[in-house]
Amino acid sequence: MNVPPLIAQTTAETGIRAGSFAREHVSRQTLWWMFAAQGAAILPLFLYLPKWLVVYWLCAVVIRLQVHRGVWPFPGSTLKAVFGVGGMIGLALSFSSIGVEPMIGLLVLAFVLKLVEVRTRSSVLLVLYIGFVTAATQLLLAQGFFQSVYTLLCCALLIAALQSLHRQREVSFLAQLRDAFNLLLQSLPVMLVLFLVMPRLGQLWAVPTLNGTGTTGFSESMSPGELSSLVGSHDIVFRASFESGQIPAQVDRYWRGLVLDKFDGATWSRRGAPWQRVTQRATKASRPHPESEIRLADGSGFNGSRLAEVDTYNYSILLEPHQYSWLFGLMVPVWADASGAEVLFSENYNIVSKLPIFSRVKYQVKSLPVYAVNPSGLTPFEQRMNLLLPVKVNPRARELAQQWRDAGLEPETIIERALAFYRANLTYTLRPPVLDDNTVDRFLFDSQRGFCEHFASSFVFLMRAAGIPARVVVGYQGGEYRAEGDYLVVRQSDAHAWAEVWLAGKGWRRVDPTAAVAPERIESSLLDALSSDESSLVGGALLRLRGMAMVALLQAKMEEWDYLWQMRVMGYDSDNQTGFLSRLLGGTDPWRVALFFSGTIGGLLASYYLLSIWVFKRVRRAPHDQLLVRALEKLARNGCERSTGETLTQFSQRVAVQLPSFSEPWQKVATIYSAIAYRGQMVRLDELRRAVKAL
Amino acid sequence: MFRGWIAGLQQYFEARFFRFIDKRVQSRKLHRLTRDKLYIFPSKRGLAFIGLILLLWLIGTNYQNNLILALAFLLSSIMVVTILQTHANLNALELEFAGVAPVHAGELAEFMFTLRSTRSRYVENIEICWQDEDEGVMGVDVAPDGSTTVTVPSSTYFRGWHSPARMRVQTFYPLGILRCWTWLNWDVQVLVYPAPIEMSYRSAVVGDNEGDGQHPLRGGQDYHGLRPYVPGDGLRRVSWKHLAQEKGLFVKDFSQSVTQERWLDIDAMPVSDLESQLAGLCYWALRFAADDDYYGLRLGHQVLAPDKGVEHTRRVLNYLAVYGL
């Protein structure tokens, strides 16, 4: 049923059934649009899915093209079944667990298989609808600004394909794309209004989480060399923005992540069995943990009820997904909240999330800058846990600590002595020698070169040996201040480990042996603490070269933009909404919102309506008259104007004399025009159009 | 039982709806589609689209993902804009009756309409058909400020004057998720001649040319001329040669000519019931016309003097079509 293009515009085809499509035939053009839309929709997903799916997709496209060219027949049901079962087995082998990625894999597989058998318009429609879901899936896996733009482009392609499906005439690629963009751009204002005013609900039910991407940052244990491997990474861990100008000084930016208080002689790890979660015994973060004891600078106790009265750091943190449960914050956090996650406090003053962080999350924290925690004493159990050391390891370090103890020194003095020892003997380096057994001894007395994890780990060992409860804390130290957005950027290379010791009457205190050895690491940045030949090991080294200044600037700008996007668009939650609407409307009463909503949408519709009235009411000339006027204008430009009252015949004679080169085409125009105007041959409009064009 | 109940309800509402339509849309020869005649509602595919939006909203809410929510809002917004575009596609379109040729009972009467658009954009993929004539749906495009002639076929069953039912004009463009439609009543009718049935016949004046030139009416072999193509014409009769020479699209007309003269009498038919008699007369009238003979007609008191030619044949067939109605 392939009619050659007759007169370009006047095609009429009989259909099969009304109500359904008038034609089930899919044009070649529509098929191409469908390929393009589908390809664009699943392309980014291939980054997260097993690579053989790409091959699958290419096979499907080839089969489909060959079928369309008539080289191969449509694949039989056996082949399709083999294809489908093969894909399912492949997915089962590629994914071990049930989660979001296998689901996405299944979606893509179905999507690809459907492509092979697309024949009718209804199945094209199905493919395109699945395409919209696939576009949403892209956003599930990546939420950056560029990803969003890309998804918008996917939508444009899908709309173009849909339009082409419901269109009869063949239009050029560009015209089709223009129409699709037209529709898309017209939709943006209403979308914006919806985005701003539609209420956001919390999770309706628990959903499987994404778990394909690897974990980043440090893990639940710290063995030598673990943190120094992070230093090579320039990736952003989180950004922190503080309320009005209270950004803490560089030396106070200790972002606590995890407390490690179990030592097996080589590795520090969390207490408890490996299957016990970080969130165990954690409580809701709207108030401090019940087992914690916090005293303010004046010695009065604090339990969260007097939050408004005390001075706190109020900051929000935008955390990149790191697949772990712990969050970062300054000591000592007394309140925390997030809209996209459930935030808890654990008993050792850490902030944790109920579920691992699989997508960017923004949370707010209030921390007391001046404090004393557990000053009145530790429980016997805690006391024991924080003094426990494996027997028979590191005898020399034990001996040193024992000397201090036997001298009857106060804990504070012991700490001073230890730090003095560090200052005098140890060097800060990114390339510490590898140590096998008795790591603390070998580090303190033989190699004497190490990174923060060596310092922290050995220091805590010394303290415990000297009878002072102590523990290792890992997290990040520092952060680069960004004036443009007034926030701090903390990168993987800022990973750090330090010690916390417990002193009677003062509670847990932070002691950072690294600061004693390499103060510039803490006061300015890691780079300043390193010799020039080691600085290239720190992440982003390439960007620090002089020639790469432009690239570095560009990267900073991109990160900047991405952050804005995150905070403004991705992070637009009910709180922001409330704030925004009250700024805009002077309140968030339902009637105001409803009025704004109906007002804006109604306004848009009303303007459209008025415009359409104006357009439809305009008296228009008959099409053939318009064409004639155009033709006469052409002639007038060439110096032959029709005078009023002159008939076409008289005018034609004049043209023959004055513009002989135009005479013949003009004659044609005049003839066809007369046929249309005086003999009602409307069918010849196209002919007239061509004739006028030829003039 | 339940299904019957639903069907009854549906019928009741349909009947009410059409009563309402008939009151509002007068029968005319020209209709301009205006706001008050057009109805718009999501199609089945549109309902699926709404389901899709809900699905995206659910995903976006459960994963607390603002961008997926934004996508759901974008699709909702697209739906709103599509309402306007679908409506604008039909709005201000003019349909004018352009003629219909008489047919024999059982054939399709091809009503021709001219669609005129005053929009600055293409009017895309308008589907036109008569009510309950779902086999004859026509898809038409109209160029900006252009016009198109479209043939809308209507089945005929009995001789006499035939008026088609309501006409449905609808469109799904641009995305197929909304259906904008209208029902039009037309003041048009077509004369349906009896269906010709071949039967033996004892004529008082039989010529010597029996069994000669017994061709069916259509598709003789003598090339008669060309006429411009009208949408709906058979492709087999298109003059591809002229098209290839880029002279335009024409259709070949054929005819036959032989000479004879006869009388057709209703009482001379070998059957007794009126309809069959008329069918037989019709057959012979066509035979004579094809042979280009002089022939007359007697229908009881109505007599048509012998004559020949297209005009005469038309008159004879008219008599046969309306006799006794």
Side-chain angles (χ1 to χ4, degrees):
Chain A
M1 181 83 228
N2 222 341
V3 189
L6 305 171
I7 302 173
Q9 79 196 56
T10 53
T11 49
E13 292 193 22
T14 44
I16 301 162
R17 290 189 323 279
S20 69
F21 287 112
R23 296 164 303 136
E24 270 295 329
H25 168 76
V26 182
S27 72
R28 177 169 307 220
Q29 224 181 5
T30 304
L31 266 188
W32 276 113
W33 276 111
M34 187 191 68
F35 284 146
Q38 190 195 33
I42 54 181
L43 206 57
L45 299 185
F46 286 144
L47 295 174
Y48 305 89
L49 293 173
K51 299 291 169 276
W52 55 264
L53 267 169
V54 185
V55 180
Y56 242 60
W57 177 60
L58 289 176
C59 280
V61 169
V62 167
I63 290 177
R64 196 65 194 78
L65 283 177
Q66 292 291 65
V67 167
H68 197 81
R69 287 173 50 208
V71 181
W72 297 349
F74 267 103
S77 46
T78 332
L79 186 66
K80 279 192 287 198
V82 166
F83 233 81
V85 170
M88 296 290 280
I89 292 171
L91 282 179
L93 293 177
S94 307
F95 294 107
S96 48
S97 64
I98 293 291
V100 174
E101 274 87 354
M103 299 240 192
I104 294 173
L106 205 61
L107 178 80
V108 172
L109 182 69
F111 200 21
V112 165
L113 289 181
K114 187 74 206 165
L115 185 68
V116 175
E117 56 164 26
V118 163
R119 197 187 309 223
T120 58
R121 298 180 67 181
S122 35
S123 49
V124 171
L125 206 75
L126 186 68
V127 165
L128 294 178
Y129 277 26
I130 299 176
F132 281 110
V133 179
T134 318
T137 314
Q138 296 173 8
L139 295 171
L140 202 61
L141 296 168
Q143 293 108 24
F145 168 74
F146 294 104
Q147 174 62 57
S148 317
V149 173
Y150 181 84
T151 309
L152 201 64
L153 284 178
C154 282
C155 280
L157 285 177
L158 285 161
I159 288 170
L162 258 182
Q163 263 184 339
S164 142
L165 182 69
H166 290 95
R167 205 175 222 155
Q168 206 171 233
R169 55 194 186 102
E170 301 254 311
V171 292
S172 69
F173 173 82
L174 277 177
Q176 182 63 78
L177 205 59
R178 198 192 52 223
D179 281 355
F181 268 110
N182 216 333
L183 186 63
L184 207 61
L185 291 177
Q186 286 178 18
S187 310
L188 289 179
V190 179
M191 168 197 155
L192 212 60
V193 173
L194 285 172
F195 186 82
L196 291 174
V197 304
M198 279 294 273
R200 301 289 197 274
L201 304 183
Q203 275 196 344
L204 301 176
W205 60 79
V207 282
T209 46
L210 294 138
N211 48 7
T213 43
T215 54
T216 55
F218 46 78
S219 61
E220 299 195 14
S221 60
M222 184 182 79
S223 39
E226 176 143 359
L227 287 188
S228 43
S229 68
L230 284 178
V231 167
S233 164
H234 197 56
D235 292 347
I236 294 177
V237 186
F238 61 86
R239 301 171 172 93
S241 36
F242 284 78
E243 237 175 50
S244 53
Q246 37 157 234
I247 294 192
Q250 175 86 20
V251 288
D252 292 328
R253 297 177 198 160
Y254 279 87
W255 307 95
R256 245 160 143 267
L258 259 186
V259 169
L260 308 177
D261 44 15
K262 205 168 99 183
F263 187 53
D264 65 357
T267 306
W268 285 91
S269 56
R270 263 185 330 114
R271 83 172 66 155
W275 62 83
Q276 286 182 325
R277 312 197 42 170
V278 184
T279 52
Q280 220 184 13
R281 306 187 56 201
T283 60
K284 193 137 179 48
S286 52
R287 50 175 50 248
H289 197 277
E291 287 186 24
S292 62
E293 182 201 1
I294 302 173
R295 289 199 181 282
L296 299 175
D298 58 6
S300 58
F302 177 84
N303 61 0
S305 54
R306 299 161 46 206
L307 193 59
E309 305 164 22
V310 294
D311 277 347
T312 52
Y313 284 126
N314 301 337
Y315 52 101
S316 67
I317 286 186
L318 177 73
L319 179 65
E320 300 291 322
H322 61 351
Q323 325 294 333
Y324 292 117
S325 270
W326 49 86
L327 307 176
F328 302 97
L330 298 168
M331 193 75 184
V332 62
V334 288
W335 176 93
D337 188 34
S339 56
E342 196 174 340
V343 188
L344 310 168
F345 281 148
S346 66
E347 49 195 329
N348 47 22
Y349 307 98
N350 283 331
I351 316 170
V352 290
S353 146
K354 194 172 171 75
L355 294 169
I357 303 298
F358 294 117
S359 62
R360 274 183 181 170
V361 65
K362 188 178 145 197
Y363 58 96
Q364 287 87 25
V365 190
K366 291 181 178 171
S367 291
L368 288 174
V370 185
Y371 57 87
V373 290
N374 298 75
S376 48
L378 295 173
T379 59
F381 174 71
E382 283 287 330
Q383 182 91 9
R384 203 171 62 249
M385 283 302 294
N386 285 301
L387 286 172
L388 209 57
L389 285 178
V391 288
K392 287 188 193 161
V393 290
N394 304 319
R396 284 189 281 172
R398 277 172 196 271
E399 198 182 323
L400 179 66
Q402 199 59 46
Q403 282 173 14
W404 292 330
R405 262 179 101 166
D406 295 344
L409 300 176
E410 288 294 308
E412 282 92 339
T413 325
I414 292 181
I415 293 171
E416 281 304 318
R417 287 279 176 94
L419 289 177
F421 173 84
Y422 273 64
R423 247 191 305 270
N425 299 314
L426 302 179
T427 329
Y428 184 73
T429 173
L430 266 185
R431 281 181 281 199
V434 178
L435 309 167
D436 37 19
D437 58 338
N438 286 338
T439 46
V440 175
D441 274 6
R442 287 176 153 278
F443 165 66
L444 286 178
F445 306 105
D446 303 344
S447 76
Q448 301 199 322
R449 294 159 52 77
F451 190 57
C452 60
E453 62 224 57
H454 300 87
F455 292 110
S457 142
S458 58
F459 187 83
V460 172
F461 187 93
L462 277 178
M463 290 302 110
R464 287 190 179 189
I468 304 170
R471 58 196 187 188
V472 174
V473 180
V474 282
Y476 294 91
Q477 201 287 327
E480 176 192 354
Y481 177 67
R482 284 285 176 80
E484 310 94 324
D486 189 32
Y487 60 88
L488 294 172
V489 178
V490 176
R491 299 179 188 275
Q492 291 294 8
S493 51
D494 295 321
H496 193 53
W498 59 94
E500 274 182 1
V501 294
W502 185 83
L503 301 170
K506 293 186 181 171
W508 286 107
R509 289 277 140 167
R510 180 180 67 225
V511 180
D512 189 353
T514 311
V517 177
E520 50 283 306
R521 159 72 184 90
I522 308 302
E523 283 158 20
S524 54
S525 74
L526 172 65
L527 284 171
D528 298 327
L530 297 169
S531 57
S532 58
D533 63 340
E534 281 192 9
S535 65
S536 63
L537 297 175
V538 181
L542 205 60
L543 298 173
R544 287 193 298 275
L545 298 177
R546 206 176 307 157
M548 301 296 276
M550 276 299 293
V551 180
L553 190 73
L554 195 68
Q555 204 218 9
K557 280 279 165 239
M558 296 251 291
E559 282 178 354
E560 188 65 35
W561 177 235
D562 199 33
Y563 177 66
L564 275 178
W565 177 256
Q566 281 300 320
M567 297 304 269
R568 294 273 178 278
V569 180
M570 276 309 289
Y572 185 82
D573 51 21
S574 348
D575 302 345
N576 300 35
Q577 198 172 39
T578 310
F580 172 79
L581 288 177
S582 39
R583 273 202 307 282
L584 190 74
L585 313 172
T588 51
D589 322 329
W591 67 265
R592 283 182 204 260
V593 177
L595 200 67
F596 170 71
F597 183 74
S598 46
T600 42
I601 304 236
L604 288 167
L605 286 178
S607 58
Y608 176 86
Y609 180 78
L610 290 172
L611 199 75
S612 75
I613 282 188
W614 178 69
V615 168
F616 289 130
K617 277 287 187 303
R618 258 190 313 177
V619 178
R620 303 181 78 125
R621 276 211 192 90
H624 50 272
D625 284 340
Q626 283 184 16
L627 286 164
L628 184 72
V629 167
R630 208 178 303 164
L632 288 172
E633 277 171 0
K634 272 189 185 173
L635 288 176
R637 271 202 303 274
N638 286 293
C640 185
E641 202 161 352
R642 181 183 171 189
S643 47
T644 40
E646 190 176 26
T647 64
L648 277 184
T649 324
Q650 292 165 345
F651 180 64
S652 300
Q653 286 159 357
R654 220 152 52 77
V655 171
V657 176
Q658 291 183 1
L659 293 169
S661 60
F662 282 87
S663 176
E664 198 183 328
W666 163 253
Q667 206 58 49
K668 199 172 169 187
V669 171
T671 314
I672 304 170
Y673 173 82
S674 307
I676 294 173
Y678 308 118
R679 290 208 296 277
Q681 299 183 354
M682 272 302 195
V683 185
R684 298 179 69 181
L685 257 180
D686 269 325
E687 226 181 314
L688 181 62
R689 203 167 279 134
R690 275 199 298 274
V692 171
K693 209 172 269 179
L695 195 59
Chain B
M1 178 220 121
F2 189 60
R3 189 172 295 178
W5 187 72
I6 285 188
L9 205 67
Q10 205 177 350
Q11 267 167 9
Y12 166 76
F13 274 112
E14 232 167 44
R16 280 206 51 167
F17 175 68
F18 283 127
R19 263 214 304 279
F20 162 81
I21 296 258
D22 293 350
K23 242 187 296 191
R24 286 174 58 119
V25 184
Q26 304 298 323
S27 289
R28 293 215 227 120
K29 289 230 190 309
L30 184 141
H31 280 291
R32 186 178 162 85
L33 302 185
T34 46
R35 220 170 293 259
D36 53 345
K37 286 182 193 162
L38 295 176
Y39 310 97
I40 192 157
F41 199 73
S43 58
K44 276 180 198 158
R45 299 183 279 281
L47 295 177
F49 195 78
I50 292 172
L52 178 74
I53 291 173
L54 285 176
L55 174 72
L56 293 187
W57 180 84
L58 267 182
I59 296 176
T61 301
N62 269 336
Y63 280 98
Q64 294 285 300
N65 187 319
N66 253 347
L67 292 180
I68 295 182
L69 284 176
L71 183 65
F73 297 149
L74 177 70
L75 294 193
S76 322
S77 175
I78 282 173
M79 196 144 187
V80 172
V81 174
T82 307
I83 295 176
L84 302 175
Q85 288 203 357
T86 312
H87 190 270
N89 195 25
L90 267 188
N91 200 5
L93 185 71
E94 263 182 26
L95 291 95
E96 192 177 2
F97 177 59
V100 59
V103 291
H104 292 271
E107 291 179 340
L108 288 178
E110 302 196 323
F111 289 87
M112 299 222 278
F113 292 89
T114 306
L115 273 58
R116 256 190 304 278
S117 149
T118 51
R119 288 182 73 205
S120 53
R121 307 188 54 159
Y122 252 95
V123 173
E124 305 257 9
N125 205 359
I126 306 281
E127 295 177 11
I128 300 182
C129 70
W130 297 110
Q131 195 175 353
D132 306 324
E133 292 271 355
D134 289 349
E135 296 300 309
V137 179
M138 292 294 177
V140 204
D141 299 338
V142 189
D145 278 325
S147 66
T148 303
T149 306
V150 61
T151 309
V152 188
S154 166
S155 315
T156 59
Y157 302 99
F158 309 106
R159 70 186 177 94
W161 287 104
H162 164 77
S163 298
R166 302 171 195 88
M167 174 194 273
R168 188 187 60 203
V169 183
Q170 70 175 16
T171 183
F172 289 102
Y173 184 84
L175 300 185
I177 53 182
L178 281 141
R179 166 170 169 251
C180 182
W181 78 102
T182 182
W183 290 97
L184 301 175
N185 285 307
W186 289 94
D187 178 21
V188 298
Q189 47 188 6
V190 59
L191 188 58
V192 183
Y193 304 145
I197 295 176
E198 186 173 357
M199 50 182 73
S200 61
Y201 145 72
R202 298 165 284 109
S203 170
V205 195
V206 178
D208 54 347
N209 244 356
E210 273 286 289
D212 189 32
Q214 292 176 21
H215 284 277
L217 169 76
R218 286 193 166 177
Q221 284 147 9
D222 294 356
Y223 180 61
H224 181 70
L226 286 175
R227 59 174 182 77
Y229 173 87
V230 175
D233 272 338
L235 286 176
R236 277 185 313 138
R237 296 200 298 152
V238 167
S239 167
W240 297 112
K241 195 170 72 182
H242 283 82
L243 185 66
Q245 293 166 355
E246 301 197 339
K247 288 183 177 168
L249 191 63
F250 293 99
V251 175
K252 290 179 238 175
D253 261 358
F254 294 95
S255 66
Q256 278 266 293
S257 58
V258 188
T259 54
Q260 282 269 325
E261 187 208 323
R262 307 284 164 81
W263 271 96
L264 281 171
D265 193 335
I266 191 159
D267 299 329
M269 285 291 140
V271 285
S272 56
D273 75 296
L274 175 67
E275 291 305 320
S276 309
Q277 286 171 337
L278 290 173
L281 286 177
C282 178
Y283 169 77
W284 282 106
L286 293 177
R287 274 280 300 272
F288 293 150
D291 298 351
D292 207 18
D293 262 346
Y294 280 93
Y295 66 101
L297 174 71
R298 282 201 204 89
L299 289 171
H301 305 296
Q302 304 173 348
V303 180
L304 266 176
D307 196 348
K308 70 171 204 174
V310 178
E311 202 52 37
H312 176 68
T313 305
R314 209 172 52 78
R315 221 171 305 136
V316 166
L317 290 173
N318 282 6
Y319 269 87
L320 294 178
V322 298
Y323 178 72
L325 294 176

